Amino acid sequence: MSVFQFKQFSLVQKESAAKLTTDATIFGAWLPIENEMKSALEIGTGTGILSLMLAQRSKLNLQAIEIEEHAYREAQNNFLSSPWSDRLKAIHKDFKHYRSDNKYDLVFSNPPFFTNSLQSDINSDKNTAYHTNQLSFKDISKGINQYLKDLGKAYVMLPEYEMGLFSDLLRQNGFHIHYTLFIHHNIYKPALRVIHGFSREKISSSREDKIFIRDENNDFHPEYVKLLKPFLTIF
């Protein structure tokens, strides 16, 4: 589907290699936004879905970096055609070469995670979108450490194994996990994705939650419906 219609905005994804996913919409609908947060940076925005969902939910000023040109153009157009165009900015840049004096209250990313997998010989955009060729875990962890305010929060979504690797890198930079969401397709399957919330603040115990997309009857789980109802037209 080249255009996905949400309740308050449209997402054009005709040219971008990375298409909309269910776990991305869960990430965008769930990510905790605190009242004092004013600014946010997204690392690797794709077509802009996460920043658009956060703009709908908050008053955040959002900057979203994307290296791949087709995705950047679509993100920029999606931002400009949304009701929150004055608070959304797409930046066409390799994050490794991004330089700014700004620090942010919130940094978030749904990054590429394939590290040693077979890649396409003909679709370099797809390789950039799904593999760590251009955006490594080390690059993201370094950027979070550099651009997050001292009391800021960072949220990242990855498969469980890759999340373990990434969490180790952030721990080396003095970060701690304070919140975790496990995303399951249904009650019988292991976690499809893991979202960790990181901060520099030491806490005695971190919070953990689960969300299931489908229930035991293969219907949409009530908690999933409740979370996505402000966004999806099917609810």
Side-chain angles (χ1 to χ4, degrees), residues 185-187 211-216 218-227 235:
H185 179 70
N186 59 40
I187 63 174
I211 188 164
F212 302 96
I213 299 169
R214 299 278 181 171
D215 65 13
E216 63 274 15
N218 205 36
D219 296 322
F220 286 119
H221 195 283
E223 290 300 315
Y224 171 76
V225 173
K226 180 181 178 181
L227 182 66
F235 300 139

Side-chain angles (χ1 to χ4, degrees), residues 122-220:
I122 59 174
N123 193 335
S124 61
D125 291 354
K126 190 170 184 178
N127 293 337
T128 298
Y130 292 104
H131 299 261
T132 58
N133 304 3
Q134 301 294 333
L135 186 62
S136 70
F137 292 168
K138 186 175 181 180
D139 295 331
I140 299 169
S141 61
K142 181 180 177 181
I144 289 173
N145 189 40
Q146 182 173 355
Y147 294 112
L148 190 68
K149 290 181 180 179
D150 289 343
L151 299 178
K153 302 289 175 59
Y155 288 87
V156 175
M157 180 170 71
L158 286 166
E160 195 160 13
Y161 173 75
E162 286 78 6
M163 181 59 84
L165 302 177
F166 181 79
S167 299
D168 287 343
L169 288 171
L170 269 190
R171 287 192 185 98
Q172 292 170 21
N173 285 312
F175 283 85
H176 308 273
I177 298 169
H178 66 88
Y179 201 168
T180 300
L181 180 70
F182 295 98
I183 301 174
H184 298 256
H185 179 70
N186 59 40
I187 63 174
Y188 306 110
K189 292 187 177 293
L192 174 70
R193 294 288 184 271
V194 179
I195 303 171
H196 275 340
F198 299 92
S199 72
R200 294 184 177 92
E201 180 184 5
K202 288 185 179 180
I203 55 175
S204 56
S205 61
S206 63
R207 177 176 173 180
E208 292 187 359
D209 288 324
K210 295 180 180 180
I211 188 164
F212 302 96
I213 299 169
R214 299 278 181 171
D215 65 13
E216 63 274 15
N217 299 314
N218 205 36
D219 296 322
F220 286 119

Side-chain angles (χ1 to χ4, degrees), residues 26-38:
I26 292 173
F27 191 9
W30 171 86
L31 194 158
I33 302 172
E34 298 168 13
N35 291 333
E36 60 270 22
M37 289 179 173
K38 305 298 181 186

Side-chain angles (χ1 to χ4, degrees), residues 59-151:
K59 299 296 184 183
L60 284 168
N61 288 301
L62 295 124
Q63 294 190 324
I65 297 175
E66 175 55 48
I67 185 175
E68 200 279 299
E69 185 175 358
H70 294 106
Y72 158 74
R73 287 204 304 260
E74 290 193 325
Q76 184 180 48
N77 290 332
N78 287 331
F79 290 171
L80 290 173
S81 63
S82 78
W84 317 286
S85 58
D86 60 326
R87 296 190 284 110
L88 288 160
K89 181 181 180 181
I91 300 170
H92 187 206
K93 196 78 174 178
D94 182 339
F95 186 63
K96 295 190 297 293
H97 302 141
Y98 177 69
R99 298 293 181 270
S100 174
D101 293 329
N102 294 332
K103 289 188 179 290
Y104 301 85
D105 300 303
L106 172 66
V107 178
F108 60 99
S109 183
N110 176 17
F113 57 83
F114 289 116
T115 53
N116 297 308
S117 302
L118 186 65
Q119 300 188 29
S120 171
D121 293 328
I122 59 174
N123 193 335
S124 61
D125 291 354
K126 190 170 184 178
N127 293 337
T128 298
Y130 292 104
H131 299 261
T132 58
N133 304 3
Q134 301 294 333
L135 186 62
S136 70
F137 292 168
K138 186 175 181 180
D139 295 331
I140 299 169
S141 61
K142 181 180 177 181
I144 289 173
N145 189 40
Q146 182 173 355
Y147 294 112
L148 190 68
K149 290 181 180 179
D150 289 343
L151 299 178

Side-chain angles (χ1 to χ4, degrees), residues 40-56:
L41 176 69
E42 182 180 6
I43 304 171
T45 193
T47 53
I49 180 58
L50 294 182
S51 285
L52 284 161
M53 294 180 76
L54 266 61
Q56 178 179 324

